[in-house]
Amino acid sequence: MTNHGGAGYRLGVAVVGAGYWGPNLIRNFSNSPTWDLHWVCDLDEERAHEAVGRHSTVRVTRSLETVLSDPLVDAVAIATPAATHYRIASACLSADKHLLVEKPLARSVEEGEMLVEEAERRGLTLMCDHTYCYTPPVRHVRRLIADGSIGQLQYLDSVRINLGLVQPDIDVFWDLAPHDLSILDFVLPEGCQPTSVSALGADPIGAGRTCVGYLTLPLLGGAIAHLHVNWLSPTKIRRTIIAGSQRMVVWDDLKPSQRLSMYDRGVDIPEGLAEDDRRKVEISYRIGDMVAPALPEREALQDVSAELFAAILEGRPPLTDGHSGLRILRILEAASRSVIAGGSPVSLEVPGLSVAAAS
Amino acid sequence: MTNHGGAGYRLGVAVVGAGYWGPNLIRNFSNSPTWDLHWVCDLDEERAHEAVGRHSTVRVTRSLETVLSDPLVDAVAIATPAATHYRIASACLSADKHLLVEKPLARSVEEGEMLVEEAERRGLTLMCDHTYCYTPPVRHVRRLIADGSIGQLQYLDSVRINLGLVQPDIDVFWDLAPHDLSILDFVLPEGCQPTSVSALGADPIGAGRTCVGYLTLPLLGGAIAHLHVNWLSPTKIRRTIIAGSQRMVVWDDLKPSQRLSMYDRGVDIPEGLAEDDRRKVEISYRIGDMVAPALPEREALQDVSAELFAAILEGRPPLTDGHSGLRILRILEAASRSVIAGGSPVSLEVPGLSVAAAS
Amino acid sequence: MTNHGGAGYRLGVAVVGAGYWGPNLIRNFSNSPTWDLHWVCDLDEERAHEAVGRHSTVRVTRSLETVLSDPLVDAVAIATPAATHYRIASACLSADKHLLVEKPLARSVEEGEMLVEEAERRGLTLMCDHTYCYTPPVRHVRRLIADGSIGQLQYLDSVRINLGLVQPDIDVFWDLAPHDLSILDFVLPEGCQPTSVSALGADPIGAGRTCVGYLTLPLLGGAIAHLHVNWLSPTKIRRTIIAGSQRMVVWDDLKPSQRLSMYDRGVDIPEGLAEDDRRKVEISYRIGDMVAPALPEREALQDVSAELFAAILEGRPPLTDGHSGLRILRILEAASRSVIAGGSPVSLEVPGLSVAAAS
Amino acid sequence: MTNHGGAGYRLGVAVVGAGYWGPNLIRNFSNSPTWDLHWVCDLDEERAHEAVGRHSTVRVTRSLETVLSDPLVDAVAIATPAATHYRIASACLSADKHLLVEKPLARSVEEGEMLVEEAERRGLTLMCDHTYCYTPPVRHVRRLIADGSIGQLQYLDSVRINLGLVQPDIDVFWDLAPHDLSILDFVLPEGCQPTSVSALGADPIGAGRTCVGYLTLPLLGGAIAHLHVNWLSPTKIRRTIIAGSQRMVVWDDLKPSQRLSMYDRGVDIPEGLAEDDRRKVEISYRIGDMVAPALPEREALQDVSAELFAAILEGRPPLTDGHSGLRILRILEAASRSVIAGGSPVSLEVPGLSVAAAS
């Protein structure tokens, strides 16, 4: 940590992993007003050089040890394959570095818990790079839920499909669902707490892992969340419906001019009607105006790096801390069990596999 | 049946039910070159009058018996609530009338089977009004599957959501899923034969029945079908992805200028690669052009009435016969069982409830 | 005019012309609560029969005299080719029938003026079927302008293009521009009063008349209107931007779920800035929320027939009276002159051709 | 020019102007495999520093002389306001630097001609940064015209509107139309050669210059081009229709998944029909499939810098050379004259103002 006089504190950072996501971290830390990017570390040094560019003074190395022994490095951002997160993050914590880790936090709940505990024991910040949580639309939805504008959550339906890369190490649930789960965890006041998880999928190309997946999560309080994640879709869709008792919101992330549409539509159930009577009447609808709020177009990673900086300086948990990462790992593990169980729901209240009883 | 000399045969028809869908049947039979519409029958005679219009010569009645005793009536089209289908259809068959029945065919597989058997015993045509099957996009997809253009089906994903009426008698699965199930049954060469059914849903407004539903159907041959049906969506979506080994098709029924988009995209797996090795390599993609075929804009119900006419005259089963209606009823019944079982898959190979064993 | 006792007055109507638009008039008058449709008249009697349908009691004839001599006929709706409007309308007025005339009102301003004068002399209603003016979006825009929500009109830009029929008798300006001109005339408090008209077009298929046309109208008060009308577009677009000093509205008529989008965006010019200084500063923008008002989905022709009925009964001019039709004819005539003049602006303030002087 | 042995030649470049567009040039030259970026020059040195980033070795200066006296600098890219282009470009040519100049090339045809002549006299490359010409969709359209797929051009209609910055020095024609004019110039085999120019516009905010503009260009051979450019649109549209006798293409640059749509639609005029008879028959249409070709997603500026490099090395004119810049300046100057003349067409065949005679 460096005090540049009147310019305020600055912190030093290194990025480990210069593959798919790393270059975005590198670019954002490079342009940050509070961070100094000192190192980019990758086993493929050529790739690291390319990521920093020909005219950069940022140093490149294959050696994690070199990075960790540099006292100018206050924090490390890890953007390597998920399977390596635990090993690298452990080494960083041992060297007393703060951490920003790509999703998913680790390969298992067990690994994740060890990292969270170790960070807490050492008083280090462990932040999950749940980038979507820092986008203007998701922040806006969070506010709408917090201030009651949406009312009681009724359902969340998310479609995140694309013709993407079939990952060699993880299935489509572990690859794409963390985005939606972290969003759900972020916008709900008490985080994402499903009572069970049902996961069904298909591997129609013989890839050896689910490529087309459906995840259903009954939530505490009666709402339901459903995710469609898919590497084999000819058309790219990133659309989430958040339906509440007061208002419904559609977030279409591929529509830059109108990412959020808030519908003042709802269901009219005559007041004073006993629940039993509701089943007999035809329910009518109130349809009001739609509002698309003006949202800033701003890169979320700028706010990720700012939040990491603030959390370290203030000694507080970041908005997307290790515990949010753990909640997501628990759902992903349950999803994997449900897939093996042919889609039977796996309870999240009792540890272990628990097929819901049929009546 | 009347032979108007050189003008060819014509048949007489009556429409029972002048509510939501009935007026469309009335309009189409009125304008048909082969049918004479003689009666519209509804318990609400005012509604029936309104449906035929002030200047019509078509007669209106509250009495089904009146309709059935008219020898000019060769066929009856039933567009009443599902719960009444069995009773009305039975009466029509007893009066030796051919039948066109709205979806779902009946309230249960048992009722449906009795109707199908009775129609066959009497040599009468029993046709299900699976209207979507007669639309140009669905006919086109059927051809693409039949001639191998799509290759082996990998998955079908359908979203049919809207801010619609909450039906007082049936849940959203029985209301909306028959559309997608009948389409699936129509385009697949051997009809829709899922090995099991998983249904999860929610009733967030306390309507007493599922209003937001997800249906997952593993199909014989390894493909998967998934349907999202929803009465409580702020945004209307009617989009189906049909993905095959050779080609992928997106059908967006709300995009009149481009309902079908055929993507010449697929997955390249190096030839000669053993299945075991596929799991180790990163799988790449071939991306080609997209073609939106020119489709006629033509009302499907015209073809429904023409098919009913031809099936009766030729004494052959219509394209969407009672057996297709039965296959759909079997899936809907299994879905209802799965909902009760908390989403556990219900096998369709063995009759009765069978929760898939967890490994 | 018939008084059905408690049911209120009803009027009788005949439709002349059963071609492209006639069937819509026939259907709407048939279902009207206030009109009785007695006749459909067309030189092609077969087409007229088809338009009323096999089961109708509405009479069909080739003879306009038969229609005009029927005392039950209070009004006639004319939906024949434009070239015949004057002759048919004159005959109707001579027989003391009220009139609804398709756009354009006539083939020339001269013809139109004679019709308007004759109707006024006889105290008959002459209404132009400017159908779009009766659609919910256009009515909404009219209200927004009337109540000041839009502020001072800055510009109106309309695109109405399609792969349509090349009309055999009129060019694309006379075929399509009346829609936009009638809308403009309807929403502006004082009607559409351009100071001049510039029309440029092309006939790239050698059809002998303009098939692709651009019309520019400087309006009194400094605003500008621009229309793009086109029979040869591969893609169908019906989009109008109405920009005002307070608010901007986009009307996309092919987007049923969001036909109107009202943007609370504007230009910030520092207050107290002299006009001369405005030219030196970079002007910034205020971007606010967008609102899509809930609009009823209702067929405009219902309101057309209701307005015709009310205007006759109340003895007042209809909202879209003959004078609005005349204002449009004046612009169309000026456009024809401008086309001949190679696009030079034709003044509308002084009668006759007046090419604006070049500086 | 440096020969790095086996690595091939490399050239040195400086970027002048770090405002709106400069940073894109800086980023692309930085990552180029053939260029070495040595300097960024801006009167606002802070802005230049920000543009290169904190960790860059690229030098920053306020002094153009410093840049021009560096022998490592082979070429200069100019991204300053249009009014300064002539002065800066002249200095660069005097220092024997090759040039890449932002659009528009200069403030007038006269200035542009002096630059083009000076560059030719000295044997230096003068390239216009008509970036859009290097995008995959425009390259594709150019091929389709060159190989006859589109047939004879019938019309080009372009809409480029947005809520953008009101430029302090130039009007909307000079700001936005160069994009479309350079595209038109690029895709037509003989460049853009209109016979006249009609320009109409409005300044509804009192900015002192046209903010909403319409440009109509009759082209040699009978086709027509029309551009709508607009700084005051609430909605962003970038859509061009290129209609030919064989095929029509819609380029929607805001639709990343389907930028180009090629319609196999056309007009059927019965063969053997004399031109005179065409005017009497109703012309019918042939509607075929639509194809959206797979296009690479690649940044156009990469190809701009590659083309500049290749043109210098091969001693040949670049694809978008100074003469294309001049053709565009001639049109812009004529447009300015037409605006002053109230929209009267200004001939481009005879120099000077020539208002087309009105008949």
Side-chain angles (χ1 to χ4, degrees), chain B residues 149-172:
Chain B
S149 301
I150 283 181
Q152 199 177 347
L153 183 70
Q154 295 185 337
Y155 69 87
L156 179 144
D157 179 89
S158 182
V159 178
R160 181 177 300 275
I161 67 181
N162 199 4
L163 200 58
L165 281 184
V166 171
Q167 299 293 333
D169 53 341
I170 49 175
D171 69 11
V172 74

mmCIF file of all heavy atoms in Angstrom, chain B residues 149-172:
data_model
loop_
_atom_site.group_PDB
_atom_site.id
_atom_site.type_symbol
_atom_site.label_atom_id
_atom_site.label_comp_id
_atom_site.label_asym_id
_atom_site.label_seq_id
_atom_site.Cartn_x
_atom_site.Cartn_y
_atom_site.Cartn_z
ATOM 1 N N SER B 149 -32.760 -32.619 -43.058
ATOM 2 C CA SER B 149 -32.029 -31.339 -43.057
ATOM 3 C C SER B 149 -31.564 -30.948 -41.661
ATOM 4 O O SER B 149 -30.539 -30.291 -41.498
ATOM 5 C CB SER B 149 -32.922 -30.215 -43.597
ATOM 6 O OG SER B 149 -33.339 -30.493 -44.890
ATOM 7 N N ILE B 150 -32.339 -31.298 -40.673
ATOM 8 C CA ILE B 150 -31.993 -30.926 -39.314
ATOM 9 C C ILE B 150 -31.051 -31.944 -38.690
ATOM 10 O O ILE B 150 -30.283 -31.626 -37.782
ATOM 11 C CB ILE B 150 -33.288 -30.738 -38.481
ATOM 12 C CG1 ILE B 150 -33.924 -29.379 -38.825
ATOM 13 C CG2 ILE B 150 -33.025 -30.863 -36.992
ATOM 14 C CD1 ILE B 150 -35.184 -29.044 -38.068
ATOM 15 N N GLY B 151 -31.044 -33.125 -39.230
ATOM 16 C CA GLY B 151 -30.215 -34.188 -38.646
ATOM 17 C C GLY B 151 -30.916 -34.788 -37.451
ATOM 18 O O GLY B 151 -32.137 -34.693 -37.301
ATOM 19 N N GLN B 152 -30.122 -35.380 -36.583
ATOM 20 C CA GLN B 152 -30.717 -35.999 -35.395
ATOM 21 C C GLN B 152 -31.118 -34.910 -34.406
ATOM 22 O O GLN B 152 -30.329 -34.006 -34.111
ATOM 23 C CB GLN B 152 -29.694 -36.941 -34.754
ATOM 24 C CG GLN B 152 -30.369 -37.938 -33.828
ATOM 25 C CD GLN B 152 -29.388 -38.929 -33.249
ATOM 26 O OE1 GLN B 152 -28.247 -39.021 -33.730
ATOM 27 N NE2 GLN B 152 -29.797 -39.659 -32.219
ATOM 28 N N LEU B 153 -32.344 -34.971 -33.902
ATOM 29 C CA LEU B 153 -32.804 -33.962 -32.945
ATOM 30 C C LEU B 153 -31.944 -33.997 -31.684
ATOM 31 O O LEU B 153 -31.706 -35.055 -31.107
ATOM 32 C CB LEU B 153 -34.269 -34.215 -32.563
ATOM 33 C CG LEU B 153 -34.865 -33.151 -31.621
ATOM 34 C CD1 LEU B 153 -35.054 -31.825 -32.322
ATOM 35 C CD2 LEU B 153 -36.199 -33.611 -31.031
ATOM 36 N N GLN B 154 -31.471 -32.827 -31.270
ATOM 37 C CA GLN B 154 -30.662 -32.756 -30.050
ATOM 38 C C GLN B 154 -31.490 -32.214 -28.893
ATOM 39 O O GLN B 154 -31.495 -32.785 -27.812
ATOM 40 C CB GLN B 154 -29.431 -31.888 -30.299
ATOM 41 C CG GLN B 154 -28.496 -32.526 -31.329
ATOM 42 C CD GLN B 154 -27.211 -31.746 -31.504
ATOM 43 O OE1 GLN B 154 -27.142 -30.549 -31.224
ATOM 44 N NE2 GLN B 154 -26.179 -32.427 -31.962
ATOM 45 N N TYR B 155 -32.136 -31.107 -29.110
ATOM 46 C CA TYR B 155 -33.041 -30.620 -28.073
ATOM 47 C C TYR B 155 -34.085 -29.704 -28.694
ATOM 48 O O TYR B 155 -33.877 -29.157 -29.787
ATOM 49 C CB TYR B 155 -32.304 -29.906 -26.935
ATOM 50 C CG TYR B 155 -31.690 -28.585 -27.287
ATOM 51 C CD1 TYR B 155 -32.414 -27.399 -27.219
ATOM 52 C CD2 TYR B 155 -30.362 -28.507 -27.673
ATOM 53 C CE1 TYR B 155 -31.840 -26.182 -27.546
ATOM 54 C CE2 TYR B 155 -29.777 -27.297 -28.019
ATOM 55 C CZ TYR B 155 -30.520 -26.144 -27.949
ATOM 56 O OH TYR B 155 -29.962 -24.930 -28.274
ATOM 57 N N LEU B 156 -35.179 -29.580 -27.980
ATOM 58 C CA LEU B 156 -36.229 -28.633 -28.347
ATOM 59 C C LEU B 156 -36.517 -27.815 -27.099
ATOM 60 O O LEU B 156 -36.768 -28.354 -26.027
ATOM 61 C CB LEU B 156 -37.470 -29.369 -28.830
ATOM 62 C CG LEU B 156 -38.656 -28.472 -29.215
ATOM 63 C CD1 LEU B 156 -39.415 -29.053 -30.399
ATOM 64 C CD2 LEU B 156 -39.613 -28.276 -28.048
ATOM 65 N N ASP B 157 -36.435 -26.493 -27.256
ATOM 66 C CA ASP B 157 -36.691 -25.617 -26.114
ATOM 67 C C ASP B 157 -37.765 -24.623 -26.511
ATOM 68 O O ASP B 157 -37.589 -23.866 -27.468
ATOM 69 C CB ASP B 157 -35.406 -24.877 -25.718
ATOM 70 C CG ASP B 157 -35.636 -23.948 -24.553
ATOM 71 O OD1 ASP B 157 -35.498 -24.390 -23.415
ATOM 72 O OD2 ASP B 157 -35.987 -22.765 -24.791
ATOM 73 N N SER B 158 -38.841 -24.608 -25.764
ATOM 74 C CA SER B 158 -39.955 -23.744 -26.133
ATOM 75 C C SER B 158 -40.346 -22.830 -24.980
ATOM 76 O O SER B 158 -40.403 -23.254 -23.822
ATOM 77 C CB SER B 158 -41.151 -24.606 -26.531
ATOM 78 O OG SER B 158 -42.219 -23.787 -26.937
ATOM 79 N N VAL B 159 -40.589 -21.590 -25.305
ATOM 80 C CA VAL B 159 -41.035 -20.602 -24.325
ATOM 81 C C VAL B 159 -42.348 -20.025 -24.833
ATOM 82 O O VAL B 159 -42.395 -19.460 -25.926
ATOM 83 C CB VAL B 159 -39.983 -19.488 -24.139
ATOM 84 C CG1 VAL B 159 -40.474 -18.445 -23.146
ATOM 85 C CG2 VAL B 159 -38.656 -20.082 -23.678
ATOM 86 N N ARG B 160 -43.389 -20.208 -24.065
ATOM 87 C CA ARG B 160 -44.718 -19.730 -24.470
ATOM 88 C C ARG B 160 -45.301 -19.020 -23.257
ATOM 89 O O ARG B 160 -45.946 -19.619 -22.403
ATOM 90 C CB ARG B 160 -45.595 -20.917 -24.881
ATOM 91 C CG ARG B 160 -47.000 -20.528 -25.353
ATOM 92 C CD ARG B 160 -47.777 -21.756 -25.808
ATOM 93 N NE ARG B 160 -47.107 -22.415 -26.902
ATOM 94 C CZ ARG B 160 -47.233 -22.087 -28.186
ATOM 95 N NH1 ARG B 160 -48.062 -21.124 -28.523
ATOM 96 N NH2 ARG B 160 -46.555 -22.720 -29.098
ATOM 97 N N ILE B 161 -45.022 -17.737 -23.144
ATOM 98 C CA ILE B 161 -45.370 -17.005 -21.934
ATOM 99 C C ILE B 161 -46.049 -15.701 -22.289
ATOM 100 O O ILE B 161 -45.837 -15.145 -23.362
ATOM 101 C CB ILE B 161 -44.122 -16.758 -21.056
ATOM 102 C CG1 ILE B 161 -43.148 -15.802 -21.725
ATOM 103 C CG2 ILE B 161 -43.418 -18.074 -20.769
ATOM 104 C CD1 ILE B 161 -41.899 -15.544 -20.922
ATOM 105 N N ASN B 162 -46.853 -15.228 -21.358
ATOM 106 C CA ASN B 162 -47.719 -14.092 -21.649
ATOM 107 C C ASN B 162 -48.367 -13.634 -20.351
ATOM 108 O O ASN B 162 -48.351 -14.338 -19.354
ATOM 109 C CB ASN B 162 -48.804 -14.562 -22.618
ATOM 110 C CG ASN B 162 -49.445 -13.396 -23.324
ATOM 111 O OD1 ASN B 162 -49.032 -12.256 -23.144
ATOM 112 N ND2 ASN B 162 -50.457 -13.684 -24.122
ATOM 113 N N LEU B 163 -48.957 -12.451 -20.382
ATOM 114 C CA LEU B 163 -49.823 -12.057 -19.288
ATOM 115 C C LEU B 163 -51.225 -12.446 -19.711
ATOM 116 O O LEU B 163 -51.931 -11.670 -20.359
ATOM 117 C CB LEU B 163 -49.721 -10.553 -19.043
ATOM 118 C CG LEU B 163 -50.185 -10.069 -17.675
ATOM 119 C CD1 LEU B 163 -49.411 -10.730 -16.562
ATOM 120 C CD2 LEU B 163 -50.031 -8.573 -17.559
ATOM 121 N N GLY B 164 -51.604 -13.667 -19.408
ATOM 122 C CA GLY B 164 -52.856 -14.192 -19.941
ATOM 123 C C GLY B 164 -53.904 -14.372 -18.855
ATOM 124 O O GLY B 164 -53.720 -13.988 -17.709
ATOM 125 N N LEU B 165 -54.985 -14.953 -19.261
ATOM 126 C CA LEU B 165 -56.040 -15.248 -18.301
ATOM 127 C C LEU B 165 -55.636 -16.447 -17.466
ATOM 128 O O LEU B 165 -55.145 -17.440 -17.986
ATOM 129 C CB LEU B 165 -57.333 -15.575 -19.043
ATOM 130 C CG LEU B 165 -58.123 -14.391 -19.571
ATOM 131 C CD1 LEU B 165 -59.422 -14.890 -20.193
ATOM 132 C CD2 LEU B 165 -58.442 -13.429 -18.437
ATOM 133 N N VAL B 166 -55.851 -16.327 -16.169
ATOM 134 C CA VAL B 166 -55.703 -17.492 -15.302
ATOM 135 C C VAL B 166 -56.983 -18.313 -15.466
ATOM 136 O O VAL B 166 -58.069 -17.867 -15.108
ATOM 137 C CB VAL B 166 -55.510 -17.058 -13.838
ATOM 138 C CG1 VAL B 166 -55.579 -18.247 -12.908
ATOM 139 C CG2 VAL B 166 -54.182 -16.334 -13.689
ATOM 140 N N GLN B 167 -56.860 -19.476 -16.066
ATOM 141 C CA GLN B 167 -58.038 -20.305 -16.325
ATOM 142 C C GLN B 167 -58.644 -20.798 -15.017
ATOM 143 O O GLN B 167 -57.911 -21.150 -14.095
ATOM 144 C CB GLN B 167 -57.659 -21.505 -17.191
ATOM 145 C CG GLN B 167 -57.115 -21.121 -18.558
ATOM 146 C CD GLN B 167 -58.170 -20.484 -19.437
ATOM 147 O OE1 GLN B 167 -59.363 -20.746 -19.272
ATOM 148 N NE2 GLN B 167 -57.736 -19.612 -20.337
ATOM 149 N N PRO B 168 -59.955 -20.823 -14.939
ATOM 150 C CA PRO B 168 -60.569 -21.229 -13.674
ATOM 151 C C PRO B 168 -60.574 -22.740 -13.456
ATOM 152 O O PRO B 168 -60.721 -23.202 -12.329
ATOM 153 C CB PRO B 168 -62.016 -20.711 -13.790
ATOM 154 C CG PRO B 168 -62.268 -20.621 -15.262
ATOM 155 C CD PRO B 168 -60.942 -20.391 -15.930
ATOM 156 N N ASP B 169 -60.423 -23.523 -14.539
ATOM 157 C CA ASP B 169 -60.600 -24.968 -14.368
ATOM 158 C C ASP B 169 -59.331 -25.774 -14.550
ATOM 159 O O ASP B 169 -59.220 -26.877 -14.033
ATOM 160 C CB ASP B 169 -61.681 -25.474 -15.343
ATOM 161 C CG ASP B 169 -61.383 -25.051 -16.784
ATOM 162 O OD1 ASP B 169 -60.593 -24.114 -16.977
ATOM 163 O OD2 ASP B 169 -61.931 -25.677 -17.705
ATOM 164 N N ILE B 170 -58.343 -25.250 -15.292
ATOM 165 C CA ILE B 170 -57.144 -26.040 -15.541
ATOM 166 C C ILE B 170 -55.904 -25.220 -15.226
ATOM 167 O O ILE B 170 -55.944 -23.997 -15.204
ATOM 168 C CB ILE B 170 -57.082 -26.519 -17.012
ATOM 169 C CG1 ILE B 170 -57.334 -25.351 -17.976
ATOM 170 C CG2 ILE B 170 -58.073 -27.650 -17.263
ATOM 171 C CD1 ILE B 170 -57.170 -25.723 -19.435
ATOM 172 N N ASP B 171 -54.790 -25.912 -14.991
ATOM 173 C CA ASP B 171 -53.552 -25.178 -14.689
ATOM 174 C C ASP B 171 -52.850 -24.821 -15.996
ATOM 175 O O ASP B 171 -53.318 -25.138 -17.089
ATOM 176 C CB ASP B 171 -52.666 -25.985 -13.734
ATOM 177 C CG ASP B 171 -52.072 -27.223 -14.365
ATOM 178 O OD1 ASP B 171 -52.147 -27.389 -15.599
ATOM 179 O OD2 ASP B 171 -51.535 -28.050 -13.615
ATOM 180 N N VAL B 172 -51.701 -24.133 -15.850
ATOM 181 C CA VAL B 172 -51.027 -23.614 -17.030
ATOM 182 C C VAL B 172 -50.465 -24.727 -17.902
ATOM 183 O O VAL B 172 -50.342 -24.576 -19.119
ATOM 184 C CB VAL B 172 -49.932 -22.590 -16.626
ATOM 185 C CG1 VAL B 172 -48.716 -23.288 -16.022
ATOM 186 C CG2 VAL B 172 -49.531 -21.702 -17.792
#
